[in-house]
Coordinates of all heavy atoms in Angstrom, one line a residue:
M1 N 85.3 97.2 108.5 CA 85.2 98.0 107.3 C 83.7 98.2 106.9 O 83.4 99.2 106.3 CB 85.9 97.2 106.2 CG 87.1 97.9 105.7 SD 87.7 97.0 104.2 CE 89.1 96.2 104.9
F2 N 82.9 97.2 107.2 CA 81.5 97.3 106.7 C 80.5 97.9 107.8 O 80.8 97.8 109.0 CB 81.0 95.9 106.3 CG 81.7 95.4 105.1 CD1 82.8 94.6 105.2 CD2 81.4 95.8 103.8 CE1 83.5 94.1 104.1 CE2 82.0 95.3 102.7 CZ 83.1 94.5 102.8
P3 N 79.4 98.5 107.3 CA 78.4 99.0 108.3 C 77.8 97.8 109.0 O 77.8 96.7 108.5 CB 77.4 99.7 107.4 CG 77.6 99.2 106.0 CD 79.0 98.7 105.9
E4 N 77.2 98.1 110.2 CA 76.7 97.1 111.0 C 75.5 96.4 110.3 O 75.3 95.2 110.3 CB 76.2 97.6 112.4 CG 76.2 96.6 113.5 CD 76.1 97.3 114.8 OE1 77.0 98.2 115.1 OE2 75.2 97.0 115.6
N5 N 74.6 97.3 109.7 CA 73.5 96.7 109.0 C 73.9 96.4 107.5 O 74.2 97.3 106.8 CB 72.4 97.8 109.0 CG 71.1 97.2 108.3 OD1 71.2 96.3 107.5 ND2 70.0 97.8 108.6
M6 N 73.9 95.2 107.2 CA 74.5 94.7 105.9 C 73.4 94.6 104.8 O 73.7 94.2 103.7 CB 75.2 93.4 106.0 CG 76.5 93.5 106.8 SD 77.8 94.4 105.9 CE 78.3 93.2 104.7
T7 N 72.2 95.0 105.1 CA 71.1 94.8 104.1 C 71.4 95.5 102.8 O 71.3 94.9 101.7 CB 69.7 95.4 104.6 OG1 69.6 94.8 105.9 CG2 68.6 95.0 103.8
E8 N 71.8 96.8 102.9 CA 72.1 97.5 101.6 C 73.3 96.9 100.9 O 73.3 96.9 99.7 CB 72.4 99.0 102.0 CG 71.1 99.8 102.2 CD 70.1 99.7 101.1 OE1 70.5 100.0 99.9 OE2 68.9 99.4 101.3
Q9 N 74.3 96.5 101.7 CA 75.5 95.9 101.1 C 75.2 94.7 100.3 O 75.7 94.5 99.2 CB 76.5 95.6 102.2 CG 77.9 95.2 101.8 CD 78.6 96.4 101.2 OE1 78.3 97.5 101.6 NE2 79.5 96.2 100.3
R10 N 74.3 93.9 100.8 CA 74.0 92.6 100.1 C 73.3 93.0 98.7 O 73.6 92.4 97.7 CB 73.0 91.8 100.9 CG 73.6 91.2 102.1 CD 72.7 90.1 102.7 NE 73.2 89.8 104.0 CZ 72.7 90.3 105.2 NH1 71.7 91.0 105.2 NH2 73.3 90.0 106.3
K11 N 72.4 94.0 98.8 CA 71.7 94.4 97.5 C 72.7 95.0 96.5 O 72.6 94.7 95.3 CB 70.7 95.5 97.9 CG 69.5 95.0 98.5 CD 68.4 96.1 98.6 CE 67.4 95.9 99.7 NZ 66.9 97.1 100.3
K12 N 73.7 95.8 97.0 CA 74.7 96.4 96.1 C 75.6 95.3 95.5 O 75.8 95.4 94.3 CB 75.5 97.4 96.9 CG 74.8 98.7 97.2 CD 75.7 99.5 98.1 CE 75.0 100.7 98.7 NZ 75.7 101.4 99.8
L13 N 76.0 94.4 96.3 CA 76.9 93.4 95.7 C 76.1 92.5 94.7 O 76.7 92.3 93.6 CB 77.4 92.5 96.9 CG 78.3 91.3 96.4 CD1 79.6 91.9 95.8 CD2 78.7 90.4 97.5
M14 N 74.9 92.1 95.0 CA 74.2 91.3 94.1 C 73.8 92.1 92.8 O 73.8 91.5 91.7 CB 72.9 90.7 94.7 CG 73.2 89.6 95.8 SD 74.6 88.5 95.4 CE 73.9 87.5 94.1
A15 N 73.5 93.4 93.0 CA 73.1 94.2 91.8 C 74.4 94.3 90.9 O 74.3 94.2 89.6 CB 72.7 95.6 92.2
T16 N 75.5 94.5 91.5 CA 76.8 94.6 90.7 C 77.1 93.2 90.0 O 77.4 93.2 88.8 CB 78.0 95.0 91.6 OG1 77.6 96.1 92.3 CG2 79.2 95.3 90.7
L17 N 76.9 92.2 90.7 CA 77.2 90.8 90.1 C 76.2 90.6 89.0 O 76.6 90.0 88.0 CB 77.1 89.7 91.2 CG 78.3 89.8 92.2 CD1 78.1 88.8 93.3 CD2 79.6 89.5 91.5
A18 N 75.0 91.0 89.1 CA 74.0 90.8 88.0 C 74.4 91.6 86.8 O 74.3 91.1 85.7 CB 72.6 91.3 88.5
V19 N 75.0 92.8 87.0 CA 75.5 93.5 85.8 C 76.7 92.8 85.2 O 76.7 92.7 84.0 CB 76.0 94.9 86.3 CG1 76.8 95.7 85.2 CG2 74.8 95.8 86.8
V20 N 77.5 92.2 86.0 CA 78.6 91.4 85.5 C 78.1 90.2 84.7 O 78.6 89.9 83.6 CB 79.6 90.9 86.6 CG1 80.6 90.0 86.1 CG2 80.2 92.1 87.3
V21 N 77.2 89.4 85.3 CA 76.7 88.2 84.6 C 76.0 88.6 83.3 O 76.3 88.0 82.3 CB 75.7 87.5 85.6 CG1 75.0 86.4 84.8 CG2 76.5 86.9 86.7
N22 N 75.2 89.7 83.3 CA 74.6 90.1 82.1 C 75.6 90.7 81.0 O 75.3 90.6 79.8 CB 73.5 91.2 82.3 CG 72.3 90.6 83.1 OD1 72.0 89.5 82.9 ND2 71.7 91.4 83.9
G23 N 76.7 91.2 81.5 CA 77.7 91.8 80.7 C 78.8 90.8 80.2 O 79.7 91.2 79.4
L24 N 78.7 89.5 80.6 CA 79.7 88.6 80.3 C 80.0 88.4 78.8 O 81.1 88.2 78.4 CB 79.4 87.2 80.9 CG 79.7 87.0 82.4 CD1 79.4 85.6 82.8 CD2 81.2 87.3 82.7
S25 N 78.9 88.5 78.0 CA 79.1 88.3 76.6 C 79.8 89.6 75.9 O 80.2 89.5 74.8 CB 77.8 88.0 75.9 OG 76.9 89.1 76.2
D26 N 79.8 90.7 76.7 CA 80.4 91.9 76.1 C 81.2 92.5 77.3 O 80.9 93.6 77.7 CB 79.4 92.8 75.6 CG 80.0 94.1 74.9 OD1 81.3 94.1 74.7 OD2 79.3 95.1 74.7
L27 N 82.3 91.8 77.7 CA 83.0 92.3 78.9 C 83.5 93.7 78.8 O 83.5 94.5 79.8 CB 84.1 91.3 79.2 CG 84.4 91.0 80.7 CD1 83.2 90.8 81.5 CD2 85.3 89.8 80.8
P28 N 84.1 94.1 77.7 CA 84.6 95.5 77.6 C 83.6 96.5 78.0 O 84.0 97.6 78.5 CB 85.1 95.6 76.1 CG 85.3 94.2 75.7 CD 84.3 93.3 76.4
S29 N 82.3 96.2 77.8 CA 81.3 97.3 78.1 C 81.2 97.6 79.6 O 80.8 98.7 79.9 CB 79.9 96.8 77.5 OG 79.5 95.7 78.3
I30 N 81.6 96.6 80.4 CA 81.4 96.9 81.9 C 82.8 97.3 82.5 O 82.8 97.6 83.7 CB 80.8 95.7 82.6 CG1 81.7 94.4 82.5 CG2 79.4 95.4 82.2 CD1 81.3 93.3 83.5
L31 N 83.9 97.2 81.8 CA 85.2 97.4 82.4 C 85.3 98.9 82.9 O 85.9 99.1 84.0 CB 86.3 97.0 81.5 CG 86.3 95.5 81.3 CD1 87.6 95.0 80.5 CD2 86.3 94.7 82.6
P32 N 84.8 99.9 82.2 CA 85.0 101.2 82.8 C 84.3 101.4 84.1 O 84.8 102.0 85.1 CB 84.3 102.1 81.7 CG 84.4 101.4 80.5 CD 84.3 99.9 80.9
A33 N 83.1 100.8 84.3 CA 82.4 100.8 85.6 C 83.2 100.1 86.6 O 83.3 100.5 87.8 CB 81.0 100.3 85.5
A34 N 83.8 98.9 86.2 CA 84.6 98.2 87.2 C 85.8 99.0 87.6 O 86.2 98.9 88.8 CB 85.1 96.9 86.5
S35 N 86.4 99.7 86.7 CA 87.6 100.6 87.1 C 87.2 101.6 88.2 O 87.9 101.7 89.2 CB 88.1 101.2 85.8 OG 89.1 102.2 86.2
A36 N 86.1 102.3 87.9 CA 85.6 103.3 88.9 C 85.3 102.6 90.2 O 85.6 103.2 91.3 CB 84.4 104.0 88.3
L37 N 84.7 101.5 90.2 CA 84.3 100.8 91.4 C 85.6 100.4 92.2 O 85.6 100.5 93.4 CB 83.5 99.5 91.0 CG 83.0 98.6 92.2 CD1 82.0 99.3 93.1 CD2 82.4 97.3 91.6
A38 N 86.6 99.9 91.5 CA 87.9 99.5 92.1 C 88.5 100.7 92.8 O 89.0 100.6 93.9 CB 88.8 99.0 91.0
I39 N 88.5 101.9 92.1 CA 89.1 103.0 92.7 C 88.4 103.5 94.0 O 89.0 103.9 95.0 CB 89.3 104.1 91.6 CG1 90.4 103.6 90.7 CG2 89.7 105.5 92.2 CD1 90.4 104.2 89.3
R40 N 87.0 103.4 94.0 CA 86.3 103.7 95.2 C 86.6 102.8 96.3 O 86.7 103.2 97.5 CB 84.8 103.7 94.9 CG 84.2 104.8 94.0 CD 82.7 104.9 94.1 NE 81.9 103.8 93.8 CZ 81.5 103.5 92.5 NH1 82.0 104.3 91.5 NH2 80.8 102.5 92.3
H41 N 86.9 101.5 95.9 CA 87.2 100.5 97.0 C 88.5 100.8 97.7 O 88.7 100.4 98.8 CB 87.3 99.1 96.4 CG 85.9 98.5 96.4 ND1 84.9 98.9 95.6 CD2 85.4 97.5 97.2 CE1 83.8 98.2 95.8 NE2 84.1 97.3 96.8
V42 N 89.5 101.5 97.1 CA 90.7 101.9 97.8 C 90.4 102.7 99.0 O 90.9 102.5 100.1 CB 91.7 102.6 96.8 CG1 92.9 103.1 97.6 CG2 92.1 101.7 95.6
S43 N 89.4 103.7 98.8 CA 89.0 104.6 99.9 C 88.2 103.8 101.0 O 88.1 104.3 102.1 CB 88.3 105.8 99.4 OG 87.1 105.4 98.8
Y44 N 87.6 102.7 100.6 CA 86.9 101.9 101.6 C 87.9 101.1 102.4 O 87.5 100.4 103.4 CB 85.9 100.9 100.9 CG 84.9 101.5 100.0 CD1 84.3 100.8 99.0 CD2 84.4 102.8 100.3 CE1 83.4 101.3 98.1 CE2 83.4 103.3 99.5 CZ 82.9 102.6 98.4 OH 81.9 103.2 97.6
G45 N 89.2 101.1 102.1 CA 90.1 100.3 102.8 C 90.4 98.9 102.2 O 91.1 98.1 102.8
A46 N 89.8 98.6 101.1 CA 90.0 97.3 100.5 C 91.5 97.2 99.9 O 91.9 98.1 99.3 CB 89.0 97.0 99.3
R47 N 92.1 96.1 100.2 CA 93.5 95.8 99.7 C 93.4 94.7 98.7 O 92.5 93.8 98.7 CB 94.4 95.5 100.9 CG 94.5 96.7 101.8 CD 95.8 96.6 102.6 NE 95.9 95.4 103.4 CZ 95.5 95.3 104.7 NH1 95.0 96.3 105.3 NH2 95.6 94.1 105.3
R48 N 94.5 94.6 97.9 CA 94.6 93.5 96.9 C 94.3 92.1 97.5 O 93.6 91.4 96.9 CB 96.0 93.6 96.3 CG 96.2 92.6 95.1 CD 97.7 92.5 94.8 NE 98.2 93.7 94.1 CZ 98.1 93.9 92.8 NH1 97.5 93.0 92.0 NH2 98.6 94.9 92.2
E49 N 94.9 91.9 98.6 CA 94.8 90.5 99.2 C 93.4 90.2 99.7 O 93.1 89.0 100.0 CB 95.9 90.3 100.3 CG 95.8 91.3 101.5 CD 96.7 92.5 101.3 OE1 96.9 92.9 100.2 OE2 97.1 93.1 102.4
H50 N 92.5 91.2 99.8 CA 91.1 90.9 100.2 C 90.3 90.3 99.1 O 89.3 89.6 99.4 CB 90.4 92.2 100.6 CG 91.0 92.9 101.9 ND1 91.0 94.2 102.1 CD2 91.6 92.3 102.9 CE1 91.5 94.5 103.3 NE2 91.9 93.3 103.8
Y51 N 90.7 90.5 97.8 CA 89.9 90.1 96.7 C 89.7 88.6 96.7 O 88.6 88.1 96.5 CB 90.4 90.7 95.4 CG 89.9 92.1 95.2 CD1 90.6 93.2 95.8 CD2 88.7 92.4 94.5 CE1 90.2 94.5 95.6 CE2 88.3 93.7 94.4 CZ 89.0 94.7 94.9 OH 88.5 96.0 94.8
P52 N 90.8 87.8 96.8 CA 90.6 86.3 96.8 C 89.8 85.8 98.0 O 89.0 84.9 97.8 CB 92.0 85.8 96.9 CG 93.0 86.9 96.5 CD 92.2 88.2 96.8
V53 N 89.9 86.5 99.1 CA 89.1 86.1 100.3 C 87.6 86.3 100.0 O 86.7 85.5 100.3 CB 89.5 86.9 101.5 CG1 88.7 86.5 102.8 CG2 91.0 86.8 101.8
V54 N 87.2 87.5 99.4 CA 85.9 87.8 99.1 C 85.4 86.8 98.0 O 84.2 86.3 98.1 CB 85.7 89.3 98.7 CG1 84.3 89.5 98.0 CG2 85.9 90.2 99.9
G55 N 86.2 86.5 97.1 CA 85.8 85.6 96.0 C 85.5 84.2 96.6 O 84.5 83.6 96.2
A56 N 86.4 83.7 97.5 CA 86.2 82.4 98.1 C 84.9 82.4 98.9 O 84.1 81.4 98.8 CB 87.4 82.0 99.0
A57 N 84.6 83.5 99.6 CA 83.4 83.5 100.4 C 82.1 83.6 99.5 O 81.1 82.9 99.7 CB 83.4 84.8 101.3
L58 N 82.3 84.3 98.3 CA 81.1 84.4 97.4 C 80.8 83.0 96.8 O 79.7 82.5 96.7 CB 81.5 85.4 96.3 CG 80.5 85.4 95.1 CD1 79.2 86.0 95.5 CD2 81.1 86.2 93.9
L59 N 81.9 82.3 96.3 CA 81.7 81.0 95.7 C 81.2 80.0 96.7 O 80.3 79.2 96.4 CB 83.0 80.5 95.1 CG 83.6 81.4 93.9 CD1 84.9 80.8 93.5 CD2 82.6 81.4 92.8
W60 N 81.7 80.0 97.9 CA 81.2 79.1 99.0 C 79.7 79.4 99.2 O 78.9 78.5 99.3 CB 82.0 79.4 100.3 CG 81.6 78.5 101.4 CD1 82.0 77.2 101.7 CD2 80.6 78.7 102.4 NE1 81.4 76.7 102.8 CE2 80.5 77.6 103.2 CE3 79.7 79.8 102.7 CZ2 79.6 77.5 104.3 CZ3 78.8 79.7 103.7 CH2 78.8 78.6 104.6
T61 N 79.3 80.7 99.3 CA 77.9 81.0 99.5 C 77.0 80.6 98.4 O 75.9 80.0 98.6 CB 77.8 82.6 99.7 OG1 78.7 83.0 100.7 CG2 76.4 83.0 100.0
L62 N 77.5 80.7 97.2 CA 76.7 80.3 96.0 C 76.5 78.8 96.0 O 75.4 78.2 95.8 CB 77.3 80.7 94.7 CG 77.2 82.2 94.4 CD1 78.2 82.5 93.2 CD2 75.8 82.6 94.1
E63 N 77.6 78.1 96.4 CA 77.5 76.6 96.5 C 76.5 76.2 97.5 O 75.7 75.3 97.3 CB 78.9 76.1 96.8 CG 78.9 74.6 96.9 CD 80.3 74.0 97.2 OE1 81.3 74.8 97.4 OE2 80.5 72.8 97.2
Q64 N 76.5 76.8 98.7 CA 75.5 76.5 99.7 C 74.1 76.8 99.3 O 73.2 76.0 99.5 CB 75.8 77.3 101.0 CG 77.2 77.2 101.6 CD 77.6 75.7 101.8 OE1 76.9 75.0 102.5 NE2 78.8 75.4 101.3
G65 N 73.9 77.9 98.6 CA 72.6 78.3 98.3 C 72.0 77.5 97.1 O 70.8 77.3 97.0
L66 N 72.8 77.2 96.1 CA 72.3 76.5 94.9 C 72.2 75.0 95.0 O 71.5 74.4 94.3 CB 73.3 76.9 93.7 CG 73.2 78.3 93.3 CD1 74.2 78.6 92.1 CD2 71.8 78.7 92.8
G67 N 72.9 74.4 96.0 CA 72.7 73.0 96.2 C 73.0 72.2 94.9 O 74.1 72.4 94.3
D68 N 72.1 71.4 94.4 CA 72.3 70.5 93.3 C 72.5 71.4 92.0 O 73.1 70.9 91.0 CB 71.1 69.6 93.0 CG 71.1 68.5 94.1 OD1 72.1 68.3 94.8 OD2 70.0 67.9 94.2
A69 N 72.0 72.6 92.0 CA 72.2 73.4 90.8 C 73.6 73.9 90.7 O 74.0 74.5 89.6 CB 71.2 74.6 90.9
W70 N 74.5 73.7 91.7 CA 75.9 74.1 91.7 C 76.7 73.0 91.0 O 77.3 72.2 91.6 CB 76.4 74.4 93.1 CG 77.8 74.9 93.2 CD1 78.9 74.2 93.6 CD2 78.3 76.2 92.9 NE1 80.0 74.9 93.6 CE2 79.7 76.2 93.1 CE3 77.7 77.3 92.4 CZ2 80.5 77.3 92.9 CZ3 78.5 78.5 92.2 CH2 79.9 78.4 92.4
T71 N 76.6 73.0 89.6 CA 77.2 72.0 88.8 C 78.7 72.4 88.5 O 79.0 73.6 88.7 CB 76.5 71.8 87.5 OG1 76.5 73.0 86.8 CG2 75.0 71.3 87.7
P72 N 79.5 71.5 88.1 CA 80.9 71.9 87.7 C 80.9 73.0 86.7 O 81.7 74.0 86.8 CB 81.5 70.6 87.2 CG 80.7 69.5 87.8 CD 79.3 70.0 88.0
E73 N 79.9 73.0 85.8 CA 79.9 74.1 84.8 C 79.6 75.4 85.4 O 80.2 76.4 85.1 CB 78.8 73.7 83.7 CG 78.9 74.5 82.5 CD 77.7 74.2 81.5 OE1 76.8 73.4 81.9 OE2 77.8 74.7 80.4
V74 N 78.6 75.4 86.3 CA 78.2 76.7 87.0 C 79.4 77.2 87.8 O 79.7 78.4 87.8 CB 76.9 76.5 87.9 CG1 76.6 77.7 88.7 CG2 75.7 76.2 87.0
A75 N 80.0 76.3 88.6 CA 81.1 76.6 89.4 C 82.2 77.3 88.5 O 82.8 78.3 88.9 CB 81.7 75.4 90.1
S76 N 82.5 76.7 87.4 CA 83.6 77.2 86.6 C 83.2 78.5 86.0 O 84.1 79.4 85.9 CB 84.1 76.1 85.6 OG 83.8 76.5 84.3
A77 N 81.9 78.7 85.6 CA 81.5 80.0 85.1 C 81.6 81.1 86.1 O 82.1 82.2 85.8 CB 80.1 79.9 84.6
W78 N 81.2 80.8 87.4 CA 81.3 81.9 88.4 C 82.7 82.2 88.8 O 83.1 83.3 89.1 CB 80.5 81.4 89.7 CG 79.1 81.8 89.6 CD1 78.0 81.0 89.3 CD2 78.5 83.1 89.8 NE1 76.8 81.8 89.2 CE2 77.1 83.1 89.6 CE3 79.1 84.4 90.2 CZ2 76.3 84.2 89.7 CZ3 78.3 85.5 90.3 CH2 76.9 85.4 90.1
T79 N 83.5 81.1 88.8 CA 85.0 81.3 89.1 C 85.6 82.2 88.1 O 86.4 83.1 88.4 CB 85.7 79.9 89.2 OG1 85.0 79.1 90.2 CG2 87.1 80.1 89.6
A80 N 85.3 81.9 86.8 CA 85.8 82.7 85.7 C 85.3 84.2 85.8 O 86.1 85.1 85.6 CB 85.5 82.1 84.4
A81 N 84.0 84.3 86.1 CA 83.5 85.7 86.1 C 84.1 86.5 87.3 O 84.5 87.7 87.1 CB 81.9 85.6 86.3
Y82 N 84.2 85.9 88.5 CA 84.8 86.6 89.6 C 86.2 86.9 89.3 O 86.8 88.0 89.6 CB 84.6 85.9 90.9 CG 85.2 86.7 92.1 CD1 84.4 87.7 92.6 CD2 86.5 86.6 92.5 CE1 84.9 88.5 93.6 CE2 87.0 87.4 93.5 CZ 86.2 88.4 94.1 OH 86.7 89.2 95.1
G83 N 86.9 85.9 88.7 CA 88.4 86.1 88.4 C 88.6 87.3 87.5 O 89.5 88.1 87.7
T84 N 87.7 87.3 86.4 CA 87.9 88.4 85.5 C 87.6 89.8 86.1 O 88.4 90.7 86.0 CB 86.9 88.2 84.3 OG1 87.3 86.9 83.7 CG2 87.1 89.3 83.2
L85 N 86.5 89.9 86.8 CA 86.1 91.2 87.4 C 87.2 91.6 88.5 O 87.6 92.7 88.5 CB 84.7 91.1 88.1 CG 84.3 92.3 88.8 CD1 84.2 93.5 87.8 CD2 83.0 92.1 89.5
S86 N 87.5 90.6 89.4 CA 88.4 91.0 90.5 C 89.8 91.3 89.9 O 90.5 92.2 90.4 CB 88.5 90.0 91.6 OG 89.0 88.8 91.1
G87 N 90.2 90.5 88.8 CA 91.5 90.8 88.2 C 91.6 92.2 87.6 O 92.6 92.9 87.8
T88 N 90.5 92.6 87.0 CA 90.4 94.0 86.4 C 90.4 95.0 87.6 O 91.2 96.0 87.5 CB 89.1 94.1 85.6 OG1 89.1 93.2 84.6 CG2 89.0 95.5 85.1
M89 N 89.6 94.8 88.6 CA 89.6 95.7 89.7 C 90.9 95.9 90.4 O 91.4 97.0 90.7 CB 88.5 95.3 90.7 CG 87.1 95.5 90.2 SD 85.8 95.0 91.3 CE 85.9 96.1 92.6
M90 N 91.6 94.7 90.6 CA 92.9 94.8 91.3 C 93.9 95.5 90.4 O 94.7 96.4 91.0 CB 93.4 93.4 91.6 CG 92.7 92.7 92.7 SD 93.4 91.1 93.2 CE 92.8 90.1 91.9
A91 N 93.9 95.3 89.1 CA 94.9 95.9 88.2 C 94.6 97.4 88.2 O 95.5 98.2 88.2 CB 94.8 95.3 86.8
E92 N 93.3 97.8 88.2 CA 93.0 99.2 88.1 C 93.4 100.0 89.4 O 93.8 101.1 89.3 CB 91.5 99.4 87.8 CG 91.0 99.0 86.5 CD 91.6 99.8 85.3 OE1 91.7 101.0 85.5 OE2 91.9 99.3 84.3
A93 N 93.2 99.3 90.5 CA 93.4 100.0 91.8 C 94.8 99.9 92.2 O 95.3 100.9 92.8 CB 92.5 99.4 92.9
Y94 N 95.5 98.8 92.0 CA 96.8 98.6 92.6 C 97.9 98.4 91.5 O 99.1 98.2 91.9 CB 96.8 97.4 93.5 CG 95.6 97.4 94.5 CD1 94.6 96.6 94.3 CD2 95.5 98.4 95.5 CE1 93.5 96.6 95.1 CE2 94.4 98.4 96.4 CZ 93.4 97.5 96.2 OH 92.3 97.6 97.0
G95 N 97.6 98.4 90.2 CA 98.5 98.1 89.2 C 98.6 96.6 89.0 O 98.1 95.8 89.8
R96 N 99.3 96.2 87.9 CA 99.5 94.8 87.6 C 100.6 94.3 88.6 O 101.4 95.1 88.9 CB 99.9 94.6 86.2 CG 99.1 95.3 85.2 CD 98.4 94.3 84.1 NE 97.3 95.0 83.5 CZ 96.1 94.5 83.4 NH1 95.8 93.4 83.9 NH2 95.1 95.2 82.8
P97 N 100.5 93.0 89.0 CA 101.5 92.6 90.0 C 103.0 92.8 89.5 O 103.8 93.2 90.3 CB 101.2 91.1 90.1 CG 99.8 90.9 89.7 CD 99.5 92.0 88.7
S98 N 103.3 92.7 88.2 CA 104.6 93.0 87.8 C 105.0 94.4 88.0 O 106.2 94.7 88.4 CB 104.8 92.6 86.3 OG 103.9 93.4 85.5
Q99 N 104.0 95.3 87.8 CA 104.3 96.8 88.1 C 104.6 97.0 89.5 O 105.5 97.7 89.9 CB 103.1 97.6 87.7 CG 102.9 97.7 86.2 CD 101.6 98.4 85.8 OE1 100.7 98.6 86.6 NE2 101.5 98.8 84.6
A100 N 103.8 96.3 90.4 CA 103.9 96.5 91.8 C 105.3 96.1 92.3 O 105.8 96.6 93.2 CB 102.8 95.7 92.6
A101 N 105.8 95.0 91.6 CA 107.1 94.5 92.1 C 108.3 95.4 91.6 O 109.4 95.3 92.1 CB 107.3 93.1 91.5
E102 N 108.0 96.2 90.6 CA 109.1 97.0 90.1 C 109.5 98.2 91.0 O 108.7 98.7 91.7 CB 108.7 97.6 88.7 CG 108.8 96.6 87.6 CD 108.1 97.0 86.3 OE1 107.7 98.1 86.2 OE2 107.9 96.1 85.5
Ligands
HEM201 C1 84.4 91.9 92.6 C2 84.4 92.2 93.8 C3 83.6 93.3 94.5 C4 82.4 93.9 94.1 C5 81.6 93.6 92.8 C6 82.0 94.8 95.1 C7 80.9 95.7 95.0 C8 80.6 96.7 95.9 C9 79.6 97.7 95.7 C10 78.7 97.8 94.5 C11 79.7 98.6 96.8 C12 78.7 99.8 97.0 C13 79.5 101.1 97.0 C14 80.0 101.5 95.6 O1 79.4 101.3 94.5 O2 81.1 102.1 95.6 C15 80.7 98.1 97.6 C16 81.1 98.7 98.8 C17 82.1 98.2 99.7 N1 82.9 97.2 99.4 FE1 82.9 96.0 97.8 N2 82.9 94.8 96.1 C18 83.9 93.9 95.8 C19 85.0 93.5 96.5 C20 85.3 94.0 97.8 C21 86.5 93.6 98.6 C22 87.5 92.6 98.1 C23 86.4 94.3 99.7 C24 87.4 94.2 100.9 C25 87.0 93.8 102.1 C26 85.2 95.2 99.7 C27 84.8 96.1 100.6 C28 83.8 97.0 100.5 C29 83.5 98.1 101.5 C30 84.2 98.2 102.9 C31 82.4 98.8 101.0 C32 81.8 100.0 101.6 C33 80.7 99.6 102.6 C34 80.0 100.8 103.2 O3 80.5 101.6 104.0 O4 78.8 101.0 102.9 N3 84.6 95.0 98.5 N4 81.3 97.0 97.1

């Protein structure tokens, strides 16, 4: 799914995550952008089940990179931030799970 050269991809992901981290105190302000991002991801081939996999990889990477700075508090903040963003993106792109089951 991804281009061979991942340099730009890394920049885009981190830039988006920076927006999320900065927007955490006012989450509604970033949700419209998350909705548009989620809808673009459908055309990239992203499926609902990919989101937890990407989240696990992201948290693992942060843990490796941050070392001792990866405290339980930091881990729980990142888990919550990814959970909120990915939950919004999945709901916008694929509907809420209850809707999907109907
Ligand atoms: C919260 C989670 C995610 C964030 C913040 C995120 C962010 C981004 C951003 C900013 C882009 C650049 C293009 C654009 O703005 O439309 C992008 C592209 C892309 N993302 Fe994600 N993404 C997420 C989850 C996923 C997942 C779960 C997949 C599934 C494997 C995925 C696959 C892709 C692909 C294939 C591209 C296009 C690559 C290319 O052709 O250049 N992303 N993503």
